[in-house]
Structure formats: C-alpha cells, structure tokens
Amino acid sequence: MAVLAVLAKKVWCSRRLLVLLLVPLLLLPVVFALPPQEGRCLFVILLMAVYWCTEALPLAVTALLPIILFPFLGILKSKDVCPQYFVDTNFLFLSGLIMASAIEEWNLHRRIALKILTFVGVRPIWLIFGMMVSTAFLSMWLSNTASTAMMLPIASAILKNLFGEEEESTVAVGTKGMNPVPMEMQFLARREDRDFPEEPEDPAPLPDSSKKAEEYRKNIWKGLLISVPYAASIGGTATLTGTAPNLILLGGIKSAFPQSDVVNFGSWFIFALPLMVLFLLIAWLWISFLYGGMFTRGWKKDMAANATGEDRARTMIREEYENLGHMMFAERAVFILFCLFAILLFFRDPKFIPGWSNLFKPGYTSDAVTGVSIVTILFFFPSKRPSLKWWCDFKASNTEIKPLLTWKRAEETIPWSIILLLGGGFSMAKACEQSGLSLWISDQLHPLENVSPTLAVFTITFVVIFFTEFASNTATIIIFLPVMAELAIRLHVHPLYLMIPATVGCSYAFMLPVSTPPNSIAFASGHLLVKDMVRTGLLMNLMGIMILNMAINTWAQPIFQLGSFPDWAQHHLTNVTGKAPSLVANDSSLAL
C-alpha cells in the first residue's frame, strides 16, 4: 500500500506532463474518423479544450497552439491565423483595460467604493448591500479579479472594527491593511499554483451564553466576504468590456455572421444592466438571509456593544475616505474621460435612436475606434493643471509633467494574457469555418431540429453554468459558442437566442473556490469553507439559470430582435446547408 501511495503521489505531481503527452494520442482516432480537414480541425479544438479544462499548460499558452497546429496540419495558413489575435474586438477590450489602469492609478475606484459605503451605513445587511453594489459597479469597468482584490481588504477592515477585533487580516491578496490593490495578473490566466488553506479545526467549546453571538459573528464575516466575489462575477456581465466571454461573443458573431450588426456596447448594456441589477438584488437577499441576519435578531441582542462596533466601522470608513483628500486634478480628469468613454460607447449606435456614428461614413467606425480614441488621451493629458504662469516664470521648475497614465504603468497592469485567450478563440472559430467543421457539426445536430427553443435555452444555461464551475469562463465560452451558433441554425431561431445565455452563464460560477479568480481570493481569506461556497453557490447557480431564461424570453426579445430568423443567419444557413432559405426556414419565429 505504501508503494501504491508513493506512486500515486508521483503520478499526481506529473499529471500536467502526462496530460500533455497522453491526450494527443487518445484523440488521434478523431483525425481518421472524420473527413481529413474536419478531422484535423476537431482534433486541435478538442486538444485545446482538454488543455484549457485541465490547465496542463497556462491558458494563454494553450491559446497560442493554433499558430503552431493549424498551419502544420494544413487547416489555415499562418497569415490567416495570426491576424485573429488582434481583431477589432481585442482592441475594444484593450481600451477597457487601459481605462481601468488609469482609474486604479489615481485611486478613483477606491473613492467610489468608500463613498457608496458611507451612504449605505454599517448595519450587517446594508453593509453587504453596499459592498455588493460597490464591487458590481467597479467590476463593470475593471476586471473581476481587480475589483475583488481591492474590495476584500476594505471588507476585512470594516468587519474588524465592527466586532472590535485586533488580529491581523488574513485576506491573502497581497496587501497590507487598506492600501490600494493593483490588478493581480496571476489570477487572470493562471490558476494552477493556488494553495488554499485547510479547513480550520473546530474551536474550543464556548459557554452557552456566547455560542450564538460567536456563530452570528462568523456568519457576518462569511456573508460579507462571500458577497464580494459574487458581486464581481455578476457585475462583469453588464458591459461588453466587463469580462472576456462578452468580447468573445462579439467576436464570434462577427466571425460566424459577418453581416450581423446587432450586438454593440449600447445594445448589450440595455439588455445586461437590468439583468445584473435583478440578479444582484436577489443575491443580496439570499446572502443576507443566509448569513446577514435578514431579520436582525442577532444584531439586536447586545445593542450597546453593537452600537460601539457600528461607530468604529463608520469612523474607519469616514477616515479612509478623508485620507484620500480632495479630488485632485488628475482624478477629475480621469473621471471625466471615463464618463466620456462610457457615453460615447453607449451612444455610438444604440439602435433605439440614431447614434453619433451616423455622422461618419457607414461601417467605418466601431466600438474599438471609440474606446482607443478616448484612452489615447490618457497618455498625453497632463496629471497636473496646466498654468500659463509657468511659461512666464523662468525660475519655475522645468520638470516634465507626467501624463494621466504612462505606458510603463499600462504594461505592468494590463493582463495581456487575456488578449491571447481572445485570439485563440477567434482562431478556432475561423478554422471551424474554413475547414468545413461548422458544416459537419451542423449535420450532426440535425436530430435536434424539433427541440423546443425554450427547452434548448434552459438546457444550455444549465450545462454551461455547471460546466464553468470546473473550467475557466473564457475557455468554456470558446468551446461552447460555435456549437451554439450551429444549433441555432438547425433550430431556425435567432443565433443570439442561444449564444447570449451561454455567454452570460459562463460568468455565473459561484459554487467552488476554483471556479473563478474572485472566488479563489475570497476563499484564501481563511474565513470561508468549501461547504459554505457550495451551500450558497448552488442556489445562486439555480437562480442564475431561472433569471437568465426569463431575461432572454422577455426584454431581450425587442433589443436584439430575437422574434425572427435574421437575414444574415439565412445567408449562413444557405452556405452550410446548400439549400435556399425559403426551403429550410419553415419557422422563422420563436414559439415562446
């Protein structure tokens, strides 16, 4: 038995190398089971899917495999693969990351979060509400990981003041006290090196009089800490630049249906913001009920002690906000540019009214043009107020004024690996189209033509949400999105009717510490157990499925014109089936 145990440990230590070597051999039959082009393309896609799910290679490195394998296997030429890594969608995402870097550089995100907390107060359920609103709003514009890493130390400091604790904070996000937290690159593309603390042993028995108070205190800790990563995951879905799967959807639509122009920053925001607000409200009620003492019975038992704790927490929040000082010129400039960034993206082509893009030649402007135009200003706009006196004062210092954001700072904070992940997904989509694999998948989905679209959406959201518990949300959507597009064609429904739920569902991973980087950071605080996340996250997942299905069948219908089979999908249908649209699109409406 001892020999087997040692052997098992050695196999476990070499698991990534074994996956790297054995998986290609196990997938070889796929190459010979299909026609040559389709078989080789499916081999590469399945290989990348396994590598992504097992993280045998870093996610970004796996995303580079198309540059190697597609040309060698004769699927795509190198000149066709490499441009996929810097398509229009990638530059939109890059512009969002640059804007987030500027916001972090001048602590604007911190000021916004603390201001929201001063409004909501420090009663437990309202404190949870304030933390969730702050985190969700920041996650709309910053990465989910950066938002969580910034908010958790704030939550920990508030809780210690609330309960009068003096021990060192155990929030393992690389911070000291309440210092600002930059983007944490290692969580965005690497999850293989996580070391989570073991579940703590049961503490020594407490007197009966203090057991309930101690249990209530622990629940408040858990509720506040678990609410932050959940709010980050929910908030990231509200904007196209909020999380990578949203951008992959945009790029996937443009790749599979070049004539489509339904999804842009404005239309997505109109759909996703109400969904985010509704889910955030329900999540707050659930977490408050589970951990926060929704009826506040526990909080009223010792009013004097609790009032003292509230005063300490309120004072701490006020002092932290005051320590930021008055808004500097640079903060105001970044805030104005941030507002301009969001407004111009929203009103470029909002669909319900003519957008400002109509002032230019049709088809020449895009969300990427808008985003890059605004963030370029960050690199030359001065961080201090310009003064005419400086030009006339020959004794004044001649030191160059720094811009709002330097390229060196941008290089340090931008998670470039995500750009490679997006490119890997777009390369896979291009290869599916060029090799004929899309047509083969479409043929295999033929038996599903009679499935109800509503049932299909429910099944898709259920499968995707629970699949992404064990795999990166980016890898999940890259794997599922091409299948969703072909399934929609077979069902003769609007492709977005299936693609949008799959995309949003990839962000609804709440059950496990390894599901998302924000979950991992919260778990590493030491106050949460795996069973806490499973208990809370299971119902969150189920609520996500129900809310997402409701959204796609109600207000999403007029926003994306989901009630009909669009012309650009008819064109794609003709290409993959070889039939005229009138012969196959026998039912162009959704029977909902």
Side-chain angles (χ1 to χ4, degrees), residues 15-27:
R15 65 191 184 280
R16 291 187 175 88
L17 181 60
L18 293 174
V19 170
L20 283 172
L21 298 177
L22 295 179
V23 170
L25 297 177
L26 295 175
L27 292 177

Side-chain angles (χ1 to χ4, degrees), residues 44-65:
V44 175
I45 290 174
L46 292 177
L47 182 66
M48 293 177 65
V50 174
Y51 284 178
W52 267 326
C53 292
T54 60
E55 297 189 26
L57 286 174
L59 299 182
V61 176
T62 300
L64 293 174
L65 291 181

Side-chain angles (χ1 to χ4, degrees), residues 130-150:
M131 293 297 295
M132 294 186 74
V133 170
S134 302
T135 307
F137 177 78
L138 294 176
S139 189
M140 291 167 60
W141 314 103
L142 311 180
S143 75
N144 297 353
T145 306
S147 302
T148 304
M150 196 272 294

Side-chain angles (χ1 to χ4, degrees), residues 320-346:
E320 288 295 329
Y321 185 80
E322 291 174 352
N323 288 341
L324 293 174
H326 296 292
M327 284 191 74
M328 297 183 296
F329 174 80
E331 270 188 275
R332 291 195 294 269
V334 170
F335 179 73
I336 292 171
L337 289 174
F338 164 70
C339 293
L340 192 62
F341 177 83
I343 292 170
L344 289 181
L345 281 174
F346 183 84

